[in-house]
Amino acid sequence: MSKYSSTKRVQEIELMKGIAIIGMVFVHILEGSIDYFTDAWTLPGSIPYTLIEFLGGIPAAGVFTFAMGWGVAFSDRATPKSYLKRALQLGLLLFYVNFFYAILPGLIDPGHFGAFLDHPWAVIGFNIYSFAALCMCFFALMKKLQDKPYVRLGICITIIVAILVTTILVKPESFSGNQWVATILGIFVRQNTYSWFPLVPWATFPIMGYGAGILYRKWNNRKKFALTSLVIGVVLVTISQLVIQLNDIRNAAMNPGWVEGIDYYALTFWNIICAVGIVCLELSLAFGIMTLTKGKLNSVLSFMSYNVMNIFVAHWLFVSPLFVVLIKVTSIWSNALIALCVLIVTCLLVKFVTTLKKSKE
């Protein structure tokens, strides 16, 4: 059993964010050359691809958004105004990332990457920032209602229920009209392939993280929290997978991407249940790892965790220009080596910039 103060960084979350960063970089590099891998669809060759796609799915984006809500639960000094300011910053970052992702490769090699010319609405689609900005607006409201815990709880429960009901009633990619309109609507509910993180169902994760963080602080007991997460995770993943397999439902949470010709952005009801279970299992696994290592990973993880947004933003500086090279890569090991180099160089760049800023203060 271990106690902690409300201001102390939580080791399990730092490890999960570290894993998320690694999965994020590797999957973005992988998807730059996936069509050129000859053994990506057959066993045993598909195993490394499946692993990278899985780690770059819920354990990456799901954990990032979960950690967003978790951090709010620990942000005692934040104000509604600071969250609204953060929302504006994240909204602007959407265009920065979309430039590097959707436009820059086409400027470098228009022969292979001319998608933006044909699909200009991509500049307002893609990526996580529009979703994150909306979440920050929600957390501004939560901070405004800080003295009304039952009202906050009621709002969170209502939103989660609404999300689950919406995933049952609304089919993804159902809009067939103007694609600019579809992409804007896709910020809220999935409407086309440019809507990567629609508010429904992705708001599940930050709200879940917010509630989990409050519970963690209230219990003040890491072991109890980890065991509870383990039980919840086992139950949710087991039940959801039984339903998914028996009813032949798209298995986006467990097998994202090319494995079944689907993507994990448009999670269905049972995939949400499975995804929440995966995050709970990762929480308990992170507790076990951090307990066994006895703080040996703390320095590296604290850097990655504290700079998670900087690393996310900076890695696109290398990933997007590499797309013109990755389309010629036909080996998973070469691809993984490139991803490892990008991860190291990105971390070094962020370390250099943060050190430079501190020296000027």
Side-chain angles (χ1 to χ4, degrees), residues 38-81:
T38 57
D39 57 347
W41 287 269
T42 57
L43 291 171
S46 66
I47 292 176
Y49 308 97
T50 303
L51 178 62
I52 293 174
E53 284 278 358
F54 173 72
L55 291 177
I58 299 303
V63 166
F64 277 139
T65 51
F66 173 87
M68 184 192 307
W70 182 282
V72 173
F74 283 77
S75 299
D76 296 328
R77 298 179 181 177
T79 64
K81 184 178 179 180

Side-chain angles (χ1 to χ4, degrees), residues 119 121 125-127 173 179 182-183 190-196 263 265:
H119 312 286
W121 45 83
F126 292 138
N127 238 289
E173 300 180 37
Q179 289 301 302
T183 306
R190 179 68 183 264
Q191 296 294 330
N192 60 22
T193 54
Y194 303 96
S195 309
W196 281 13
D263 62 67
Y265 306 113

